[in-house]
Amino acid sequence: MKAIIAEKPSVAREIAQLLGAHQKKDGYLSGNGYCVTWALGHLIALGMPEDYGIRGFNKVSLPIFPNPFILTPKKLKKIKGYEPDLSALKQLNTIKQVINQCSSIIVATDAGREGELIFRYIYYYLQCNKPFERLWISSLTEKAIHEGFKNLQPGDTFEGLYEAAKARSEADWLVGINATQALTIAGNQDVYSLGRVQTPTLALICQRFLQHQNFTKQKYFQIQLSHRKEYTDFTSLSLLQWEEKKQTEQIQKSIEREGRAVVEDVSITTVKEQSPLLFDLTELQKEGNRKLGLSADEVLKIAQSLYEKKFITYPRTGSKYIPEDLWTEIPELVRILNTNDQFKSAISTLKFGNFNKRIVNDVKVTDHHGLLITTKTPSALSATEKAIYDMIAYRLLESLSHACTKQVSHIIIKVHHYEFQIKGSKILNKGWRAIKRILSDNENSNNKNEVLTELPEFKIGDELKISKTELLEKVTQPPKLFTEADLLSAMENAGRSIENKEEQKALSNIGIGTPATRASIIETLLSRNYIIRKSKTLHPTDKGLQVYNLVKDKKIANVQMTTEWEIALDKIEKGELNRNQFIDDIQHYTAEITNELLSIHIPQENIPELKCPKCQHHHLMIKDKIVKCHDEQCNWIFFRTICGIQLTLKDLILLLTQNKTSLIKNMKSKSGKKFDAFIILKNDFSTSFEFGNKN
């Protein structure tokens, strides 16, 4: 009997169905020589400080360096600390039973760093020593699973992957736990969460926000001229920009008096715009955010759902290429799309037997290849699932098309000694742009100011009549606030922001986090109340800015450090770096940042001493998220965030002294509807809403 451990129940059921393991048991399926069970994500985690006998936040205990790290079953955070997750304990017990009755194990968790860690932590926690093999697949179609079982790989093939995953896990613990405790102690027990990846990401958001806020807008003026030649109307724009309106108006009048311009330079070039590569996860998240307004986390969840329904390949990929041996399967995917009327027009522009092979590159395929559709025709999709599936399908067709060829014209004309430019662009061969019939897209264009305008023919020395002049008043624009798409780009390209050119070159393709983790980093910052979404942009909260200002000059916020760690983890995976050496370096770094953070002085908010409304004896502990009585017997507690709005200190005082806040605006109900209300403290010391005259 062989045990198979999948990452989720849905994947376990797919595998069991194909292997003929149809008998349903409590927490697993069996039959045909197999027992198929599952984890529930991370069932096992690294122990918390209390598991090492370190309780509370104590300066003397820092930095905490567990040796060895303890593995514990997943715990849930409660008001009084962490409690065991009963569903995790139950499933662990099931996995143990399954393993005990089997001779060997097949690992079927997701084929990536985190999937490997999920299995290994379970394996070592249960002190198992049975042999195991690895199922390594990129899609959940029947064909892929059958092929995977025919080509099971020895477990030790993925030792480097596990070492990298373990190193990442331990490094995050060391930095996150020690930094959070150090800054919390410096902040007089007001909890400030910091992390190896989340803090540099917060720094990116805050830096951009402050650049935007502190930007001084400046007016400037340009002159636009209108012309007509060979029955074609077009405009030219002054190369110079003027700060003074009066001066610009005088120049405009002199140009009007002249009434004509002379062609000084003609530059016509043929530009090839290469077809886009396949989506990796980050690129799909960016596109989903730009085109559909979805968050990175929402795109990941939708893609994961499509994967589990067998409609697309494994989504947590960092590659935009496919290996050579997969190329033969691409025509079949195109034929399947051609059975759908929606794609027929696009596919008619492709030539079978003459597909562009730009996406084929064995060297650039990481754990998984670029995102593809599968041979299974999708059905019963939600609107957002269909939109994401269509994006992946259209991107495949675009990648198989040839380059778009354009003729770009750049004409310089002169009036007196003032130069004006005329820009034009003409499509010679639509190429990949014929797939969606979008012929100009500033996101993909090398020239952001390119306009698709067919111009007449120009020769140097030609005279152009000026039919009209126009004074354009413009304003310099601040750096744009980050959308999630922009932030994902900044995280992905963090290495490029480094000033040292040699270091920048070495780190240019390494970012903050990985494609699989970037969405969760953004969600963590949102859950910590460090950032909020406003319309389509991300803004730091007052607390987020406070944390940034405290740590912006500290190593914990250093983007370069995080980027270098990603390189180190990659080397560990390839066997080029010893994990212990990496953890030693992390410990040195942790000791430095702990000392840095402990030395910070955080001015305390002027919090009044308020008595507990319930017991009337003890003073209240007032924190960022909660207000609670010091007396454990009384145990009165109040959560400051209500329906998405955090109560200010002023409203908190009103509630506890006069039993009623001022009118709280823009609270959001469970259905997403906004409302205004007073919050009142009732006789039983619970809270409720009062809507005044409006019900």
Side-chain angles (χ1 to χ4, degrees), residues 393-625:
Y394 276 120
R395 179 54 68 92
L396 168 63
L397 298 177
E398 286 177 336
S399 73
L400 299 175
S401 306
H402 290 274
C404 167
T405 312
K406 293 178 181 178
Q407 188 184 77
V408 178
S409 304
H410 188 232
I411 317 298
I412 300 292
I413 62 172
K414 210 170 191 179
V415 189
H416 299 315
H417 62 280
Y418 301 110
E419 290 186 327
F420 290 74
Q421 63 181 347
I422 304 165
K423 286 185 173 182
S425 181
K426 181 169 76 172
I427 298 280
L428 301 177
N429 185 341
K430 290 177 184 174
W432 65 272
R433 286 196 171 276
I435 296 294
K436 288 197 286 191
R437 299 178 184 174
I438 299 171
L439 300 181
S440 182
D441 180 356
N442 283 345
E443 289 292 350
N444 295 315
S445 172
N446 290 327
N447 183 354
K448 302 281 180 182
N449 298 315
E450 176 194 79
V451 181
L452 279 178
T453 310
E454 287 202 36
L455 295 171
E457 210 172 293
F458 294 97
K459 293 195 299 292
I460 293 172
D462 280 354
E463 282 195 0
L464 283 180
K465 191 179 175 185
I466 299 165
S467 56
K468 183 185 169 188
T469 69
E470 195 177 346
L471 187 71
L472 304 180
E473 185 176 306
K474 298 183 178 181
V475 180
T476 55
Q477 294 301 312
K480 286 183 180 176
L481 292 170
F482 279 132
T483 61
E484 285 202 36
D486 298 331
L487 179 60
L488 288 167
S489 285
M491 293 169 78
E492 186 179 30
N493 301 314
R496 294 178 194 174
S497 66
I498 293 161
E499 289 178 14
N500 182 305
K501 291 297 173 193
E502 284 185 21
E503 289 175 355
Q504 185 194 72
K505 192 176 177 184
L507 303 173
S508 61
N509 295 318
I510 303 290
I512 298 177
T514 64
T517 60
R518 285 176 191 135
S520 66
I521 294 160
I522 297 169
E523 293 303 314
T524 297
L525 292 172
L526 286 159
S527 69
R528 302 265 190 256
N529 192 32
Y530 285 170
I531 63 170
I532 53 170
R533 290 188 180 100
K534 275 192 184 177
S535 186
K536 291 183 177 179
T537 55
L538 297 169
H539 294 235
T541 60
D542 288 344
K543 185 175 183 183
L545 283 169
Q546 183 195 19
V547 171
Y548 168 68
N549 283 320
L550 289 170
V551 302
K552 64 184 178 185
D553 301 322
K554 311 297 180 193
K555 289 191 173 184
I556 185 77
N558 189 327
V559 168
Q560 182 176 342
M561 186 72 70
T562 312
T563 305
E564 286 171 351
W565 287 3
E566 296 300 341
I567 291 177
L569 292 170
D570 189 53
K571 285 183 177 177
I572 292 169
E573 188 173 326
K574 291 172 181 170
E576 296 168 6
L577 178 68
N578 182 280
R579 183 182 65 82
N580 292 332
Q581 177 59 52
F582 173 72
I583 293 298
D584 282 347
D585 291 344
I586 294 290
Q587 286 188 351
H588 288 304
Y589 169 81
T590 301
E592 285 180 37
I593 60 168
T594 302
N595 288 330
E596 273 188 345
L597 296 170
L598 284 171
S599 67
I600 289 174
H601 171 68
I602 303 174
Q604 294 303 301
E605 190 179 15
N606 190 16
I607 297 171
E609 287 198 340
L610 295 169
K611 278 196 173 176
C612 172
K614 185 179 175 184
C615 71
Q616 289 292 322
H617 289 300
H618 295 85
H619 285 114
L620 292 170
M621 183 193 299
I622 300 173
K623 295 294 175 192
D624 186 52
K625 291 186 178 179

